[in-house]
Amino acid sequence: MTDPAVEDPPGGPEEHGPLRLPLSPVSGDRVRPWSVVVTVLGAVAVLVASPSGYAAVLGVVAALTLVVVLGWPAVGASRSPLASSVVLAIAGVAMLAATVRDDLRWLPAAVALGMVAAFFHQLLRPPPREGLVLSLLAALGGLVLLACGALLVVSTHEPGSRPVIVVAMLAVAVGVAGDLLAPVRVLRPFLGFVVLLAGMGVAALTVSWSDQLTTLGALGIGAAAATISWSLRRVLALQPALLGGLGQAAVGCGSVLFAGALVRLFTILL
């Protein structure tokens, strides 16, 4: 028998009541306004900074990193959010410092520093270390996002990176269509397809104005960037921290940084 408290209404846009913990699947389909706004603003900021080169993109990524450092431990349900933020801050500074070189020589060392700090912090906690796994996962998940952001910055050293960044960031921005359409019940099974088409559509428009990328390459970048960015936000939609503005902002910034790994990959391949 279905619980009427979590049963979906019969179709169309839904009216949600106040969110309560634990979150129901219906509550997870509520639009997270700050997540949408921050995702679009972050992607546009990277897009605008990219013509100016390394220093400008570094500044934007540093700002996005700061939001992730502050909000991600709560999103990951860390039992020691302040200490987890300190760990992410140390690793984030090290990773961004490593982007001065374009050969990524020091980036693995910076990631390793963050991992060692995350485990060492848990050793310092007095037993019983309740929530040990959650705290470690929160820290390590944040390290992945920060490393992706560092890869985005490093990509600006490559002469052919700008068109890749443009297509990827536009795709990330239009990928919020999946977030905005989530409350519409009939579209939920097709949200991934909608995001995929949106990313490919904006990529096709962009490549029609420039000959710096092949059509196939642009479509691949658009599809991958829009999908992976939206998927991160979708997977985390039921996290309790997304009830607050900081948690939503952290996920939005993280979804922009997450696309940095794809930017680096396509910059090398194309």
Side-chain angles (χ1 to χ4, degrees), residues 226-254:
T227 302
I228 196 171
S229 177
W230 169 77
S231 295
L232 178 69
R233 297 190 301 274
R234 185 64 175 169
V235 165
L236 296 172
L238 284 174
Q239 289 297 99
L242 266 71
L243 296 176
L246 181 58
Q248 294 179 33
V251 171
C253 290

Side-chain angles (χ1 to χ4, degrees), residues 172-233:
V172 169
V174 301
V176 300
D179 304 73
L180 297 174
L181 295 174
V184 183
R185 183 186 179 189
V186 294
L187 292 179
R188 281 183 207 151
F190 312 104
L191 287 178
F193 189 60
V194 169
V195 171
L196 184 70
L197 288 180
M200 294 176 68
V202 75
L205 288 175
T206 305
V207 79
S208 67
W209 300 334
S210 171
D211 57 357
Q212 294 179 290
L213 287 174
T214 64
T215 301
L216 185 59
L219 292 176
I221 297 168
T227 302
I228 196 171
S229 177
W230 169 77
S231 295
L232 178 69
R233 297 190 301 274

Side-chain angles (χ1 to χ4, degrees), residues 12-261:
E14 298 173 1
E15 295 295 331
H16 295 281
L19 292 175
R20 296 182 177 86
L21 298 179
L23 302 186
S24 72
V26 172
S27 298
D29 290 317
R30 187 187 184 104
V31 175
R32 313 295 189 192
W34 285 111
S35 181
V36 171
V37 170
V38 171
T39 299
V40 174
L41 290 180
V44 170
V46 174
L47 183 64
V48 172
S50 62
S52 301
Y54 168 78
V57 175
L58 175 63
V60 173
V61 170
L64 298 176
T65 296
L66 177 60
V67 178
V68 172
V69 165
L70 294 175
W72 187 261
V75 174
S78 172
R79 297 300 178 89
S80 50
L82 179 58
S84 295
S85 289
V86 172
V87 168
L88 292 178
I90 294 171
V93 170
M95 289 182 200
L96 292 179
T99 63
V100 175
R101 296 180 61 100
D102 61 356
D103 58 6
L104 298 177
R105 175 176 296 182
W106 295 109
L107 185 57
V111 175
L113 172 64
M115 295 179 67
V116 170
F119 281 94
F120 185 68
H121 153 242
Q122 296 303 319
L123 292 176
L124 294 178
R125 290 176 60 194
R129 298 183 180 89
E130 185 180 2
L132 171 65
V133 175
L134 286 176
S135 298
L136 283 175
L137 289 177
L140 297 180
L143 291 176
V144 171
L145 297 180
L146 300 188
C148 290
L151 291 174
L152 175 58
V153 177
V154 168
S155 298
T156 60
H157 290 297
E158 301 292 336
S161 65
R162 188 174 174 234
V164 177
I165 293 175
V166 169
V167 173
M169 291 300 111
L170 286 174
V172 169
V174 301
V176 300
D179 304 73
L180 297 174
L181 295 174
V184 183
R185 183 186 179 189
V186 294
L187 292 179
R188 281 183 207 151
F190 312 104
L191 287 178
F193 189 60
V194 169
V195 171
L196 184 70
L197 288 180
M200 294 176 68
V202 75
L205 288 175
T206 305
V207 79
S208 67
W209 300 334
S210 171
D211 57 357
Q212 294 179 290
L213 287 174
T214 64
T215 301
L216 185 59
L219 292 176
I221 297 168
T227 302
I228 196 171
S229 177
W230 169 77
S231 295
L232 178 69
R233 297 190 301 274
R234 185 64 175 169
V235 165
L236 296 172
L238 284 174
Q239 289 297 99
L242 266 71
L243 296 176
L246 181 58
Q248 294 179 33
V251 171
C253 290
S255 68
V256 177
L257 296 179
F258 203 26

